[in-house]
Amino acid sequence: MKKLASKEFVIGLCVIVALVILFFGIDYLKGINLFKPANFYYAEYDNVAGLEISAPVQIDGYKVGQVREIDFDYENHGKIKVLLALDKKLNLPEDSKAEIASTLLSGAYINIQVGKSKKMMPIGGTLASTITPDLMASLQDNLMPQVGGVINRVDTLLYGLTTLVSDPAMLNTIHRLDGISNNILLASDGLNNTLSKDVPGLMRRAGGTMTRIDTITYNLAVLSAQLKSLPLSQTMDNVNDITGNLSSVSQNLNSFSAHLNDKNSTIGLLTQDPELYNRLNRVTADIDSLIIDIKKNPKRYISIKLL
């Protein structure tokens, strides 16, 4: 009898231990650590879509706790009470808020906005709550109308492209472009042949031209050296002397011209007095007559006496 009771006791004890392990194992798999001390706070929401038990509770992206329970408040219809298990060392100011936020990958979580009040929230108190608009709902409300407009424009664009492509004029243009491409290829081949034939000759001529240019450059260098060796300063001095002499001659010519034009000067009287000119003419005529007479009658003027 004792042996039978002992077996039943062992079986019952094993079942109890298995249930306890199962209970704590399920909570552990959910991320709930029942053996870790925590401070419990409540938050009430009108909608907790996407929020689940063991969802993280964060402050500025750092995890400080998790959601322990989500219960419908039957006494206050329309409200859902959420139990938050936060780190034991964390004390929240009274004006802190528990905000439900969501991401595309990890789902909903609670973000605590720490207040600035010096008065702390009592353990088990209810935090003020807010809900961040769902990202997908925001995309649906804001982005989808714009996407619809873009789709309409794309449909219009595709219709226009279809009309353009099916136009016979476009086909004719494409055929012409093919002909132009063929002509360009032929011209390119002709240019390549011309370059392969004429370029070597041109390069040889260019080489000869460069040789001549080198010769000319050498001659110019020699000429420049010779010009540097010339006594240019002495030459310029001589030119300056000649220029001074020419200036003196010019002054003398001007003075002589002034004397010629002056009626009171001797040269002016000779050039401008008609009476003097007439007398000189008469004297010249008398001299001519005298010379003629001497030729005719030389004895009249020359007497030769013989002793």
Side-chain angles (χ1 to χ4, degrees):
M1 191 71 181
K2 291 182 179 180
K3 188 175 182 181
L4 181 61
S6 178
K7 288 182 178 180
E8 292 176 351
F9 177 76
V10 172
I11 292 172
L13 182 61
C14 290
V15 171
I16 292 173
V17 171
L19 291 174
V20 171
I21 293 174
L22 179 62
F23 176 76
F24 286 105
I26 291 173
D27 287 340
Y28 179 78
L29 292 175
K30 290 181 180 180
I32 299 174
N33 188 357
L34 296 176
F35 299 101
K36 183 178 181 180
N39 293 332
F40 294 95
Y41 298 91
Y42 289 94
E44 293 184 349
Y45 300 96
D46 295 328
N47 188 352
V48 291
L51 186 65
E52 298 179 354
I53 295 175
S54 74
V57 179
Q58 300 178 357
I59 296 178
D60 296 331
Y62 180 79
K63 184 179 178 181
V64 294
Q66 61 187 141
V67 175
R68 184 64 59 88
E69 294 179 1
I70 300 176
D71 297 320
F72 186 80
D73 190 357
Y74 292 96
E75 296 179 357
N76 186 9
H77 293 290
K79 294 293 183 180
I80 300 174
K81 185 175 289 187
V82 178
L83 178 62
L84 308 178
L86 305 182
D87 290 343
K88 190 70 176 179
K89 298 180 181 180
L90 179 63
N91 293 318
L92 296 176
E94 192 176 28
D95 57 346
S96 299
K97 294 181 180 181
E99 177 187 32
I100 295 180
S102 61
T103 62
L104 291 175
L105 298 178
S106 61
Y109 66 95
I110 292 181
N111 181 45
I112 294 180
Q113 299 176 358
V114 181
K116 298 182 180 180
S117 177
K118 295 182 179 180
K119 186 177 180 181
M120 297 297 157
M121 176 71 67
I123 304 299
T126 302
L127 297 171
S129 59
T130 59
I131 299 176
T132 302
D134 184 32
L135 181 59
M136 293 302 297
S138 299
L139 291 175
Q140 185 175 1
D141 295 338
N142 299 324
L143 185 61
M144 292 306 294
Q146 298 179 4
V147 171
V150 172
I151 291 174
N152 292 331
R153 294 192 182 94
V154 170
D155 290 338
T156 304
L157 180 60
L158 290 176
Y159 176 76
L161 288 175
T162 303
T163 304
L164 181 62
V165 171
S166 60
D167 191 355
M170 177 60 69
L171 297 176
N172 294 331
T173 302
I174 293 173
H175 290 307
R176 290 171 185 165
L177 289 175
D178 291 336
I180 293 172
S181 299
N182 293 329
N183 293 332
I184 291 174
L185 291 175
L186 292 175
S188 178
D189 293 336
L191 181 60
N192 291 330
N193 293 329
T194 302
L195 291 176
S196 61
K197 293 179 181 179
D198 296 339
V199 167
L202 291 174
M203 293 300 295
R204 288 193 297 271
R205 295 190 188 95
T209 303
M210 292 301 298
T211 303
R212 296 189 186 93
I213 290 174
D214 292 338
T215 304
I216 293 171
T217 304
Y218 175 75
N219 293 331
L220 289 175
V222 173
L223 179 61
S224 176
Q226 292 177 354
L227 289 175
K228 287 182 180 179
S229 62
L230 291 176
L232 293 178
S233 59
Q234 183 177 358
T235 303
M236 292 302 298
D237 293 337
N238 294 332
V239 170
N240 291 328
D241 293 338
I242 292 171
T243 303
N245 294 329
L246 290 175
S247 298
S248 300
V249 171
S250 177
Q251 291 177 358
N252 293 329
L253 289 175
N254 290 331
S255 177
F256 181 72
S257 176
H259 283 293
L260 287 176
N261 294 325
D262 189 6
K263 296 181 179 181
N264 295 321
S265 63
T266 305
I267 297 175
L269 289 175
L270 289 174
T271 57
Q272 297 182 13
D273 189 0
E275 182 63 27
L276 179 60
Y277 177 76
N278 294 328
R279 290 180 180 177
L280 287 174
N281 284 334
R282 287 195 295 269
V283 170
T284 303
D286 293 339
I287 291 172
D288 289 338
S289 299
L290 179 60
I291 291 171
I292 292 170
D293 187 60
I294 289 172
K295 288 182 179 180
K296 291 181 178 181
N297 302 303
K299 294 181 178 182
R300 182 184 299 175
Y301 300 97
I302 300 172
S303 59
I304 299 174
K305 294 182 177 182
L306 297 173
L307 297 175

